[in-house]
Amino acid sequence: MALAIGLLILRVGVGLTVAAHGSQKLFGWFGGGGIEKTTAGMARQRFTPAWFWTWVAAVGEFGGGLLLALGLFSPLGGFGVLGAMSVAIVASHLHKGFWNRNGGIEFPLMIALPALALTLIGPGAVSLDNLFNIPLPEPASWIVLAIGTLLTVAAALRSRTLATPAASDSVGAI
């Protein structure tokens, strides 16, 4: 039972943190900019088309975070979170080093790693997947979602290299 409670605490903590972050992008909640301002930030970072990658990031964070917290359709939520954090690490944080106080990768990495671990471990006994007996086929679902996440992350990052450099080459956090 301790493992089930531990997984629940981890899922809910990571999942709701990322879902709240995604709600800043989607709805402007918790002091966020909403879709319009987030799209402008993605455009400054040269994601092309910015509106598309804004929606991918926002849904990956908000939807993935909620699925992760609920333990529903595992491992889908974990991969949504992992994909969003992977892009954020490379596009916004990597060039700032490791430490969060400098805007580095420390915080998004500490969201991505538990999300990845939860894709492998599963949601645990205290989850909606367990309650409603909704197991996705293993290992096929994990492999398909892993490949899909890798391709999506690669496409998002590649879209930046295809874009024309902005007049102001400022980089904002996503």
Side-chain angles (χ1 to χ4, degrees):
M1 190 61 171
L3 177 61
I5 299 300
L7 287 172
L8 174 66
I9 292 167
L10 182 61
R11 276 194 355 260
V12 169
V14 172
L16 291 183
T17 297
V18 178
H21 190 68
S23 76
Q24 292 177 306
K25 289 176 176 61
L26 277 177
F27 312 116
W29 295 350
F30 308 113
I35 286 292
E36 212 170 282
K37 288 184 180 176
T38 303
T39 300
M42 296 289 260
R44 281 191 303 276
Q45 293 183 76
R46 300 190 318 264
F47 284 95
T48 307
W51 67 267
F52 175 77
W53 293 113
T54 299
W55 279 98
V56 171
V59 170
E61 291 175 3
F62 184 73
L66 286 180
L67 290 176
L68 191 64
L70 296 169
L72 182 62
F73 302 124
S74 299
L76 182 60
F79 276 113
V81 170
L82 178 62
M85 292 301 106
S86 296
V87 172
I89 286 168
V90 173
S92 297
H93 301 278
L94 190 60
H95 69 280
K96 298 175 184 173
F98 182 79
W99 300 112
N100 189 56
R101 81 163 186 256
N102 300 325
I105 68 168
E106 178 185 11
F107 182 72
L109 181 65
M110 291 314 300
I111 295 291
L113 292 177
L116 175 59
L118 287 164
T119 70
L120 294 165
I121 297 167
V126 184
S127 66
L128 291 183
D129 279 352
N130 190 50
L131 179 66
F132 296 116
N133 194 25
I134 311 175
L136 294 181
E138 293 292 335
S141 62
W142 195 93
I143 293 167
V144 167
L145 289 168
I147 292 169
T149 300
L150 284 171
L151 292 174
T152 303
V153 168
L157 296 173
R158 177 76 174 135
S159 82
R160 298 176 75 222
T161 64
L162 299 173
T164 306
S168 156
D169 202 18
S170 64
V171 176
I174 56 174

